[in-house]
């Protein structure tokens, strides 16, 4: 038998639901900003695969916007930091995953996959560190700094 504490406003179960909704909303914001940022950095680094003639720096702007939105979508500074960190790691994993995925999607033999995997993964991690980290974190920290300056 579970005991619920009640006051005149809410019960424990209602508070648990609110907490669960808060964490799910934060996780959704993190995943969306991270995936958009990671895919934007991937398209920028592999711009030769684009079918339309669009300036690759415009696509890199999506990664910067994802970093800015990671801060702007949050309700407070604690949530902003959580969304920023989770979004950063989600985007990095997305970038590396999308870069390495053709090795399993396309009909490579196991030997060819074993030979290509270290090189492709190394190139993807380098792109994630140089392009994605610089753009996403730079935009996120810039938005954080500007918001702190404006709000005081």
């Amino acid at each position: 038998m579970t005991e619920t504490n009640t006051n005149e406003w809410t019960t424990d179960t209602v508070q648990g639901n609110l907490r669960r909704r808060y964490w799910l909303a934060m996780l959704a914001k993190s995943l969306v900003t991270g995936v958009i940022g990671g895919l934007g950095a991937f398209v920028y680094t592999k711009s030769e695969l684009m079918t339309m003639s669009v300036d690759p720096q415009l696509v890199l702007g999506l990664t910067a916007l994802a970093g800015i939105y990671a801060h702007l979508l949050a309700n407070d500074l604690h949530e902003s930091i959580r969304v920023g960190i989770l979004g950063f790691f989600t985007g990095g994993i997305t970038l590396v995953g999308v870069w390495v995925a053709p090795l399993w999607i396309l009909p490579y033999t196991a030997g060819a996959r074993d030979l290509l995997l270290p090189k492709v993964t190394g190139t993807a991690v380098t792109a994630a560190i140089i392009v994605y980290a610089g753009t996403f974190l730079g935009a996120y920290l810039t938005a954080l700094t500007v918001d702190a300056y404006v709000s005081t």
Side-chain angles (χ1 to χ4, degrees):
M1 185 166 169
T2 60
E3 232 177 86
T4 59
N5 295 329
T6 60
N7 60 19
E8 55 195 65
W9 298 103
T10 63
T11 64
D12 284 344
T13 56
V14 171
Q15 290 298 325
N17 288 338
L18 288 175
R19 233 177 278 119
R20 187 177 309 116
R21 261 189 277 160
Y22 168 80
W23 284 101
L24 287 175
M26 185 201 59
L27 185 63
K29 293 172 191 176
S30 304
L31 291 175
V32 168
T33 57
V35 168
I36 290 172
L39 289 177
F42 172 76
V43 171
Y44 172 75
T45 54
K46 300 292 263 182
S47 61
E48 66 270 4
L49 298 177
M50 290 192 337
T51 58
M52 296 178 5
S53 61
V54 176
D55 186 17
Q57 291 190 352
L58 290 175
V59 178
L60 190 61
L62 289 174
T63 303
L65 282 175
I68 292 170
Y69 283 141
H71 175 67
L72 294 180
L73 293 175
N75 295 326
D76 57 359
L77 184 59
H78 288 92
E79 185 180 3
S80 171
I81 292 170
R82 289 181 184 127
V83 169
I85 290 172
L86 286 174
F88 173 72
F89 286 118
T90 301
I93 291 168
T94 300
L95 173 62
V96 172
V98 168
W99 202 303
V100 174
L103 293 178
W104 280 273
I105 294 172
L106 298 175
Y108 285 104
T109 63
R113 190 177 299 127
D114 290 341
L115 289 174
L116 288 172
L117 186 61
K119 183 183 182 318
V120 172
T121 304
T123 306
V125 169
T126 303
I129 291 171
I130 293 172
V131 174
Y132 175 71
T135 306
F136 185 89
L137 285 179
Y140 171 75
L141 292 174
T142 301
L144 193 67
T145 304
V146 168
D147 186 36
Y149 181 74
V150 169
S151 65
T152 58

